[in-house]
Amino acid sequence: MAVGVFTGVDGPVGSFSGKITLSVVITCIVAASSGLIFGYDIGISGGVTTMQPFLQKFFPSVLRKAAEAKTNIYCIYDSQVLTSFTSSLYIAGLAASLVASRLTATIGRRNTMVFGGLTFLAGAAINGGAANVAMLILGRILLGFGVGFTNQATPVYLSEVAPPKWRGAFNTGFQFFIGIGVVAANCINFGTAKRSWGWRLSLGLAVVPAAIMTIGALLISDTPSSLIQRDKVEQARHALRKVRGKDCDVESELAELKKASDVAKEADQEPFVTIFERQYRPHLVMSIAIPFFQQLTGINIIAFYAPVLFQSVGFGNDSALIAAIILGLVNLASILVSTGVVDRFGRRFLFMEGGIQMFVCQVGVAAVLAVTTGVSGTKEISKGYAILVLVLMCIYAAGFGWSWGPLSWLIPSEIFPIKIRPTGQSISVAVNFATTFVLSQTFLTMLCHFKYGTFLFYAAWNALMTIFVALFLPETKGIPLDSMNLVWEKHWYWRRFVCVGSGSCSDTEKEQQKWPWEDSAASMDLSAASVARSHFRSSGDHMHRGCF
Ligand code: BGC
């Protein structure tokens, strides 16, 4: 059922029949389950680091400090050593995500996911059996490698396999599984918190999501484009037939993939160099800005702070974890909303709506805390106000769940041409982890000193990122991956960077193509080179036609 054709400068460039096969649904669900391990870790580490027996064994100084700081709700967990433990995962993940760019190109997206799952599994086993801090950190580094690999490979996998018309919906599956991991971990923490060995079980049980996703990944085949790139033409044909449906003639798509791969092999340049070319500036900016802003929404801060806040206002350990579980469930439901509307309303609308919603909630939380706990944070907050804060946090979590949560994985995986897609995704994951690292290093100290002002800080970032999206992010819904260049060519600002490719530059834009030191002769060469490169981009990428 053809429902639309995207018309590019050279005519129709892809058809959108929107055909979803059972096989593509199952394949994408299985692939998206890789998000489980990241989510599990996020959920578990927050809870475990507040468990008394865990702190007693590994970080006794934190407990002493907690006893002294009892009167100030903002400073209880301000401990550098505890923060370093949590964030060691992000440094390891950052390194792994950069290596993953090469890995996904040479061993494929699917195998990188398997590799990540196995590494995470090893880390979980070591953490569960940890006898000292060194084992704890070693395990955490392995967990970090695991999520570095899977977070890089999975979104690319999903975007390459999904039908373009529903790419957004399929891709949100990754964030959905992250959310399931978070909720599962919170529930497990809830069950284990009261036992002296509970932390061991919480950390060790990470082998379960790791085993699920690794076995799952072993059961699916790699993406057709990745198989072709690795000269596995027969397997690629088989994989295409499977996801597009048996009655579908996949030969033309296969031929396009082959062409793409041949051209990519001819242009033998290091992708980490290519990605810095001027024509890829818009892509590069997005792959950095989107994950950077995602972290500055303050999601991890809210997630971390919710249990601490509720615990410190006397709701007790249980209620603190229950608050975290409620937040997690709201988040999950809202990701499903995103799945339902992302390909209808588009990415820009969700980003902006979510940004405004989070801004309002952050300001609200800051105001309630300022009024109730006082400037110093020493006054008791009443249960009624604590519930109001929880409600605001839930509305915030919903905003994140249908916008910056899933879309921050989607955008970097869909905007790049095939040749530098893994590299773009690697940069994006690395930025995500680096920002998480810096924020987690500074958040507790910031909370301790700026108190409720911390939430205003994040509110300001939410306002800024909403303006950024309004001005600079083009709409990518429904556009086949191979035609994505057109969205930049039509964009009021980015056009000047990419218009050479379509030969549609105005004179002013041609001038803007020049670097300051170029004379006109050199600039003509540059333009010719850009046209050639751009031709490679549009002809060499994945042409989706016919069956979806
Ligand atoms: C973010 C994480 C966050 C998680 C919450 C992910 O998309 O990258 O930092 O903790 O969502 O569910």
Side-chain angles (χ1 to χ4, degrees):
M1 177 190 61
V3 293
V5 172
F6 183 79
T7 308
V9 278
D10 302 322
V13 289
S15 63
F16 302 81
S17 72
K19 186 174 168 191
I20 298 178
T21 61
L22 182 64
S23 172
V24 80
V25 173
I26 294 173
T27 304
C28 287
I29 291 177
V30 171
S33 73
S34 299
L36 279 178
I37 55 173
F38 186 38
Y40 187 87
D41 184 80
I42 294 166
I44 278 294
S45 44
V48 164
T49 49
T50 59
M51 287 182 192
Q52 297 246 345
F54 175 81
L55 293 173
Q56 196 76 57
K57 185 167 172 70
F58 299 105
F59 305 100
S61 62
V62 178
L63 277 184
R64 283 196 296 276
K65 177 117 190 270
E68 286 158 21
K70 225 192 279 161
T71 46
N72 183 338
I73 66 158
Y74 296 107
C75 299
I76 298 179
Y77 291 96
D78 181 15
S79 154
Q80 207 52 50
V81 56
L82 196 56
T83 311
S84 319
F85 160 72
T86 315
S87 48
S88 55
L89 176 141
Y90 291 96
I91 294 297
L94 192 160
S97 64
L98 293 174
V99 174
S101 164
R102 194 44 70 79
L103 210 61
T104 43
T106 46
I107 68 167
R109 284 65 161 138
R110 195 282 304 254
N111 290 343
T112 307
M113 281 149 64
V114 172
F115 187 62
L118 290 175
T119 322
F120 192 93
L121 197 100
I126 293 178
N127 265 354
N132 48 44
V133 178
M135 280 181 81
L136 213 54
I137 303 272
L138 174 68
R140 229 169 144 64
I141 290 174
L142 288 175
L143 298 182
F145 285 157
V147 292
F149 291 128
T150 52
N151 287 10
Q152 192 272 355
T154 312
V156 171
Y157 184 101
L158 292 169
S159 281
E160 285 182 345
V161 168
K165 189 173 189 296
W166 306 110
R167 189 175 56 240
F170 278 86
N171 209 296
T172 58
F174 183 59
Q175 180 74 15
F176 186 71
F177 275 99
I178 294 180
I180 293 185
V182 172
V183 172
N186 283 330
C187 294
I188 288 169
N189 276 345
F190 184 58
T192 62
K194 292 198 190 79
R195 326 229 176 278
S196 58
W197 41 264
W199 63 268
R200 224 179 249 296
L201 195 59
S202 286
L203 294 180
L205 278 178
V207 296
V208 176
I212 293 176
M213 65 125 304
T214 309
I215 294 170
L218 282 169
L219 297 176
I220 54 177
S221 57
D222 204 358
T223 71
S225 19
S226 173
L227 287 165
I228 288 273
Q229 268 189 323
R230 292 180 294 124
D231 296 322
K232 297 178 189 292
V233 181
E234 246 338 284
Q235 286 184 36
R237 180 177 285 121
H238 184 69
L240 259 184
R241 278 216 190 101
K242 222 168 146 192
V243 289
R244 304 279 176 255
K246 284 206 184 67
D247 339 323
C248 173
D249 175 19
V250 295
E251 290 309 316
S252 54
E253 192 176 345
L254 200 68
E256 287 297 345
L257 291 176
K258 183 89 180 64
K259 199 159 103 198
S261 145
D262 291 346
V263 181
K265 277 177 194 151
E266 268 166 39
D268 188 22
Q269 184 171 238
E270 166 59 45
F272 271 103
V273 173
T274 309
I275 206 166
F276 285 96
E277 284 176 11
R278 183 181 163 86
Q279 60 177 324
Y280 298 123
R281 200 59 45 81
H283 315 63
L284 184 63
V285 167
M286 290 303 157
S287 72
I288 295 172
I290 299 285
F292 175 73
F293 283 142
Q294 188 210 41
Q295 288 307 311
L296 280 156
T297 56
I299 181 63
N300 289 313
I301 278 68
I302 291 273
F304 178 87
Y305 187 62
V308 176
L309 176 79
F310 290 95
Q311 196 169 338
S312 53
V313 295
F315 271 47
N317 241 327
D318 282 4
S319 340
L321 280 165
I322 288 172
I325 292 170
I326 295 175
L327 273 181
L329 289 175
V330 170
N331 179 48
L332 265 184
S334 61
I335 298 167
L336 287 181
V337 173
S338 192
T339 309
V341 302
V342 65
D343 294 307
R344 249 179 292 160
F345 297 171
R347 287 65 163 145
R348 279 168 54 81
F349 171 80
L350 286 177
F351 266 128
M352 290 189 279
E353 195 287 330
I356 294 169
Q357 189 168 327
M358 288 188 284
F359 169 82
V360 172
C361 293
Q362 301 262 25
V363 172
V365 169
V368 175
L369 290 183
V371 170
T372 56
T373 64
V375 176
S376 59
T378 48
K379 278 199 233 152
E380 284 270 304
I381 177 173
S382 69
K383 282 208 176 175
Y385 277 118
I387 289 170
L388 177 59
V389 173
L390 180 62
V391 169
L392 284 171
M393 285 183 174
C394 283
I395 302 175
Y396 168 92
F400 179 83
W402 59 55
S403 63
W404 285 85
L407 304 189
S408 303
W409 299 105
L410 169 64
I411 298 292
S413 74
E414 68 177 5
I415 56 173
F416 283 94
I418 186 165
K419 189 185 163 201
I420 49 171
R421 193 172 297 143
T423 315
Q425 184 68 23
S426 284
I427 291 178
S428 185
V429 177
V431 170
N432 184 314
F433 285 171
T435 318
T436 311
F437 173 76
V438 173
L439 293 185
S440 59
Q441 287 293 315
T442 50
F443 164 66
L444 292 171
T445 313
M446 203 168 150
L447 189 65
C448 186
H449 291 98
F450 295 155
K451 305 184 172 71
Y452 59 84
T454 311
F455 295 98
L456 294 177
F457 169 81
Y458 286 105
W461 278 105
N462 277 294
L464 189 74
M465 66 188 77
T466 305
I467 296 168
F468 175 86
V469 166
L471 292 177
F472 295 112
L473 185 74
E475 184 53 66
T476 47
K477 82 166 175 186
I479 315 281
L481 294 183
D482 58 303
S483 311
M484 205 51 88
N485 201 43
L486 293 166
V487 305
W488 308 109
E489 281 170 16
K490 291 191 164 129
H491 189 269
W492 71 273
Y493 180 74
W494 298 121
R495 185 185 148 73
R496 70 196 68 185
F497 291 85
V498 295
C499 62
V500 162
S502 61
S504 65
C505 295
S506 67
D507 287 346
T508 330
E509 283 162 344
K510 276 186 198 143
E511 277 303 306
Q512 285 166 336
Q513 293 291 328
K514 291 188 212 163
W515 295 104
W517 57 85
E518 283 170 348
D519 58 21
S520 34
S523 105
M524 280 175 67
D525 282 353
L526 173 86
S527 301
S530 299
V531 170
R533 275 197 301 266
S534 175
H535 173 73
F536 151 69
R537 254 190 350 257
S538 49
S539 67
D541 208 344
H542 195 143
M543 298 296 277
H544 296 303
R545 288 214 170 104
C547 298
F548 55 104

